[in-house]
Amino acid sequence: MSTELEKIFEGILDGNSKLVVETIGLAIENGIAPAQILNEGMIAAMAEVGRLFEEGEYFVPEMLIAARAMQKGLEVLKPYLTEDDVQSPGKVVIGTVKGDLHDIGKNLVAMMLEGAAFEVIDLGTDVSPERFIEAIKSNNAQLIAMSALLTTTMPNMKTTIEAIKAAGIRDNVKVMIGGAPITQSYADQIGADGFAEDASRAVVKAKSLLSK
Ligand code: B1M
């Protein structure tokens, strides 16, 4: 790994936003590909934070400051993750499901969708089925993108799909889901239209769902 990527990785582990922001700028200047910075420096660091938490070496405060450094870094990287001159493929309502406060992966998906010219309505975290439905209706969105990071909040994806059906708008909107514990088989089980493993695959999936 290059020195810059190592510094970014360590900076996120230490929650050192300043170092992360500065080093991302330097890495870009030195010609390191934004996708490599993202995957090898930043996402890898968050996976390590998760491992340290599982092993009892990190606690919630350490996870929080690491998350803050990650978010600051993403802000710097955002302009480099966009595609130029593309026509909008459609409108997406995105959010993390009810009970779940994890938003880094969701923000990354939103950022990449925006980069691919989707119009993104981001409802944030802890989003109830009612708020999703209200936003789909008021924005006439063609796609709902739900994220969940906790096994305990995954079932709220199913609850939301059921609420969408009950509201009579299931035929107007495609449903895409994702997040660390989510699998294709879970998506099939709850009747989602698509699943994506990561943010770049989410863009490909969203485009393919809206072209059907
Ligand atoms: Co939490 N947390 N956390 N946490 N946290 C996990 C998820 C955990 C796996 C850690 C662990 O034990 N190893 C564990 C869940 C265990 C489980 O459910 N089986 C856990 C726990 C237990 C908790 C608490 C319960 C801890 C506590 O309070 N005791 C608590 C719950 C709070 C709540 O939500 N109600 C909690 C809190 C927190 C913080 C607030 C401190 C912080 C979040 C801050 C924030 O998001 N602003 C936090 C963090 C940082 C993590 C870890 C370390 C990192 C998550 C992350 O940002 N990853 C995480 C461990 C891990 O994931 N290994 C952990 C980086 C991000 C880029 O990846 O979000 O997976 P990810 O997104 C990926 C893909 O999943 C995909 O694309 C992204 C990559 O390109 N993706 C989609 C995501 N959404 C998608 C949507 C799509 C498509 C793809 O389409 C719609």
Side-chain angles (χ1 to χ4, degrees):
M1 215 196 279
S2 78
T3 326
E4 288 92 342
L5 293 181
E6 269 170 25
K7 266 197 188 172
I8 294 165
F9 183 95
E10 293 298 331
I12 290 178
L13 282 192
D14 296 342
N16 186 341
S17 301
K18 189 167 177 275
L19 179 73
V20 171
V21 164
E22 281 170 9
T23 317
I24 291 174
L26 196 65
I28 287 166
E29 265 175 39
N30 291 343
I32 302 179
Q36 196 182 1
I37 299 174
L38 180 65
N39 292 317
E40 294 175 25
M42 302 169 75
I43 293 182
M46 291 310 291
E48 178 64 5
V49 171
R51 195 188 65 76
L52 292 168
F53 177 74
E54 251 169 58
E55 298 201 337
E57 277 192 50
Y58 269 24
F59 297 94
V60 172
E62 284 86 1
M63 279 210 284
L64 259 180
I65 59 162
R68 202 172 309 140
M70 173 83 179
Q71 302 275 26
K72 291 278 175 212
L74 283 176
E75 283 167 25
V76 182
L77 211 57
K78 186 173 178 179
Y80 301 94
L81 297 172
T82 58
E83 292 170 23
D84 292 332
D85 300 331
V86 251
Q87 216 195 338
S88 178
K91 263 190 209 176
V92 186
V93 164
I94 192 167
T96 305
V97 294
K98 194 171 161 67
D100 200 323
L101 301 175
H102 296 85
D103 67 354
I104 295 175
K106 183 268 298 168
N107 291 347
L108 199 51
V109 173
M111 200 181 273
M112 301 282 263
L113 286 171
E114 272 176 8
F118 280 89
E119 204 178 310
V120 178
I121 298 107
D122 188 347
L123 303 180
T125 59
D126 191 19
V127 182
S128 66
E130 296 73 29
R131 281 188 59 217
F132 272 121
I133 290 168
E134 206 278 315
I136 295 166
K137 284 186 182 165
S138 60
N139 294 287
N140 239 332
Q142 296 102 330
L143 180 69
I144 161 175
M146 287 186 275
S147 179
L149 263 283
L150 299 171
T151 44
T152 48
T153 57
M154 282 166 68
N156 292 332
M157 292 177 153
K158 183 169 185 240
T159 314
T160 306
I161 294 176
E162 277 160 9
I164 291 172
K165 279 188 200 153
I169 54 169
R170 181 66 183 94
D171 292 340
N172 312 351
V173 70
K174 300 281 183 192
V175 179
M176 176 170 76
I177 63 170
I182 309 300
T183 58
Q184 180 63 56
S185 93
Y186 185 68
D188 296 340
Q189 193 189 316
I190 65 169
D193 300 301
F195 153 76
E197 205 174 303
D198 59 38
S200 33
R201 289 190 181 97
V203 173
V204 176
K205 180 56 79 179
K207 282 183 180 166
S208 92
L209 287 175
L210 294 195
S211 69
K212 279 179 190 160

